[in-house]
Amino acid sequence: MKILNSKLDLQLFYHQASEARQKAILLDYDGTLAPFHVNPEKAFPYPGVREMLKKVMQAPDVRTVFISGRCIRDLEALLEFDVKPELRGSHGLERLKSDGSYEVASMDEMAVQGLVMADEWIETTDYLNRCEKKPGCLAVRWRGLNERKISEMKSQVMETFSRIAEDWKLSLEEFDGGLELRAPVRNKGDAVKTVLYEMGPDVVAAYLGDDVTDEDAFKAIKGRGLAVLVRNALRPTAADIWIKPPEELLNFLSNWLPRGGK
């Protein structure tokens, strides 16, 4: 573990968390709880993480929320918990509450039409099997390809998606292993703000993420909780601390268990 924020008193944070009546742990999935996989359907959690999270979710004073770029349908299939978890999918555009109720944010017609155009273009290329279609998002992944193929694919997709993003007021972002075109309605930071607002000013919270798409969440939790970068290699970030999976991740999660529950 490495502390990145010189003003942070981590032991004080842990003490406050142990004494708090309500806590929130907010978690990205890919790259944070699970290693990346060429086949996204096989990106299962690191050893021990699923079992640790089950214990955390059973704690009566901890609200556990998964906030992912994946669509909720795919995220549910990978988590496989006995109880229905609280999920935010498609970068916060989708919401599945623990009671099973589902909602998706509305998008303006211009954004929808831009995504339709991008989808139609993808259908004419050789990249269709590397495209993930989600509510308000269209992601293209090149993980597992050789450098020449990645360069060729990235160049073509970037050129077309950049033009569509500009013409139809969409956001275009690179992530670890791909590129995503997105309706600028919600991001992970908005999902974090929603949880914190719902729980009130006394909540002690932490957000764990690995990718550049998690930076919005890191910034949103500043002043309200702890921003935790989870990855094997450090990168420029707004996070407060950096931990490596899976050992340091498991140790961090264990601090959210009731006393004596480790």
Side-chain angles (χ1 to χ4, degrees), residues 37-39 130 141-147 149-150 177:
H37 197 284
V38 173
N39 182 351
R130 290 189 164 272
R141 303 177 183 275
W142 45 68
R143 184 172 290 109
L145 296 177
N146 61 47
E147 290 186 9
K149 286 287 188 181
I150 290 175

Side-chain angles (χ1 to χ4, degrees), residues 57-84:
M57 291 172 66
Q58 290 169 357
D61 57 352
V62 180
R63 181 177 176 183
T64 307
V65 185
F66 299 90
I67 303 174
S68 173
R70 283 182 183 261
C71 67
I72 280 178
R73 180 187 64 252
D74 293 344
L75 191 57
E76 277 189 298
L78 288 165
L79 289 174
E80 295 181 332
F81 290 122
D82 298 330
V83 297
K84 191 172 286 292

Side-chain angles (χ1 to χ4, degrees), residues 131-252:
C131 180
E132 181 184 2
K133 301 176 184 181
K134 304 173 286 184
C137 314
L138 196 65
V140 178
R141 303 177 183 275
W142 45 68
R143 184 172 290 109
L145 296 177
N146 61 47
E147 290 186 9
R148 183 182 65 81
K149 286 287 188 181
I150 290 175
S151 178
E152 177 183 309
M153 183 178 178
K154 184 176 180 179
S155 176
Q156 291 182 17
V157 176
M158 179 70 81
E159 180 182 355
T160 301
F161 276 16
S162 294
R163 185 174 64 252
I164 292 174
E166 182 176 355
D167 291 344
W168 297 91
K169 310 303 180 186
L170 297 167
S171 65
L172 180 62
E173 293 186 33
E174 282 194 58
F175 59 90
D176 193 332
L179 189 69
E180 186 166 53
L181 190 66
R182 200 162 78 223
V185 181
R186 303 263 177 92
N187 59 40
K188 293 180 180 180
D190 296 317
V192 169
K193 290 176 184 177
T194 298
V195 173
L196 296 179
Y197 174 78
E198 291 173 347
M199 299 189 72
D202 296 328
V203 63
V204 174
Y207 179 88
L208 281 68
D210 71 295
D211 208 348
V212 291
T213 60
D214 295 300
E215 291 299 316
D216 291 320
F218 291 156
K219 293 170 184 175
I221 206 168
K222 287 289 185 178
R224 296 291 309 277
L226 189 68
V228 184
L229 180 68
V230 185
R231 56 185 288 130
N232 286 312
L234 182 61
R235 62 166 179 78
T237 180
D240 298 304
I241 66 171
W242 166 43
I243 61 176
K244 295 181 180 181
E247 287 80 10
E248 290 181 349
L249 170 62
L250 289 168
N251 183 62
F252 182 87

